[in-house]
Amino acid sequence: MAYEARNYEQLLGIEGLSDPLMKNHFTLYQGYVANTNKLADALNQMLKDGKAATPEYAELKRRFGWEFNGMRLHEYYFGNMVKGGNSLDSGSELYGKLAADFGSYDNWQKDFKGTGAMRGIGWVVLYLDPVANRMCNAWIGEHDTGHLAGGVPLLIMDVFEHAFMIDYGLKRADYIEAFFKGIDWSAVAQRCANAPKATV
């Protein structure tokens, strides 16, 4: 069954991110969905044709991770944003967990923003490690490298240039501040609440 692109037009008009930037970003995301489907179809056909041991199959299989993660990370990213944002209740379980795991909420925020400000293209992900029941921020480069095995993504920020350059040029720190104003903390809390418990 084919993957379908989700509609995120409700984010148009979000403070700090222009409509032209967001529309370009939506188009980019739709391309990842389309390419994920094309690769899935091509891989299935090659499997039926007995070509699973070929270099071509191996390359398409590697490429699938890039396209799939490009699709899914954008869905997490757009899904943890909302016009006007909403604040994280300092009395909430999520706030308490961030404070406990990072020493304070401010420490978590500094670490997340600092990770996003690093040189390079990629993503910043607040993960919950369900084995240790501990949160950590991680850098994902190139969509498919740097993921924490078994980690549950809670908050995702895109720091590829397409996410900010139309509006901010090279001022990534200004984009990060704008992103924080649009975080949908209720979506992040829901992801945390729904996280599976895991053992290894």
Side-chain angles (χ1 to χ4, degrees), residues 67-165:
E67 300 292 349
F68 180 91
N69 285 347
M71 171 185 71
R72 192 64 80 221
L73 286 167
H74 278 98
E75 291 171 352
Y76 277 115
Y77 171 70
F78 294 134
N80 59 216
M81 296 166 64
V82 66
K83 281 196 284 193
N86 55 49
S87 59
L88 179 58
D89 179 359
S90 61
S92 69
E93 186 176 335
L94 177 58
Y95 187 99
K97 182 82 174 124
L98 288 168
D101 289 351
F102 287 87
S104 71
Y105 172 84
D106 287 343
N107 283 346
W108 165 77
Q109 188 179 79
K110 287 175 189 174
D111 186 69
F112 191 92
K113 289 180 178 181
T115 305
M118 295 183 336
R119 288 179 55 80
I121 54 171
W123 303 82
V124 183
V125 180
L126 167 64
Y127 277 109
L128 173 65
D129 171 11
V131 175
N133 191 29
R134 183 173 173 84
M135 294 182 177
C136 61
N137 295 320
W139 174 263
I140 306 298
E142 300 292 333
H143 300 329
D144 54 349
T145 58
H147 291 277
L148 303 184
V152 178
L154 302 178
L155 176 66
I156 288 78
M157 179 173 66
D158 190 344
V159 286
F160 275 78
E161 285 92 345
H162 62 252
F164 60 88
M165 283 196 78

Side-chain angles (χ1 to χ4, degrees), residues 3-85:
Y3 294 98
E4 293 185 18
R6 300 177 187 183
N7 186 332
Y8 295 103
E9 289 184 0
Q10 76 276 7
L11 294 176
L12 293 176
I14 194 167
E15 182 184 350
L17 300 173
S18 69
D19 285 356
L21 180 140
M22 294 301 288
K23 287 178 180 178
N24 279 322
H25 211 162
F26 298 156
T27 300
L28 183 85
Y29 154 68
Q30 291 160 2
Y32 285 116
V33 177
N35 286 335
T36 297
N37 287 323
K38 287 177 189 174
L39 284 171
D41 291 344
L43 286 164
N44 284 336
Q45 188 59 53
M46 291 180 82
L47 195 60
K48 289 176 186 174
D49 294 344
K51 297 181 179 177
T54 65
E56 293 82 6
Y57 183 88
E59 286 308 307
L60 289 183
K61 189 60 101 169
R62 287 185 184 96
R63 185 69 188 185
F64 183 82
W66 163 265
E67 300 292 349
F68 180 91
N69 285 347
M71 171 185 71
R72 192 64 80 221
L73 286 167
H74 278 98
E75 291 171 352
Y76 277 115
Y77 171 70
F78 294 134
N80 59 216
M81 296 166 64
V82 66
K83 281 196 284 193

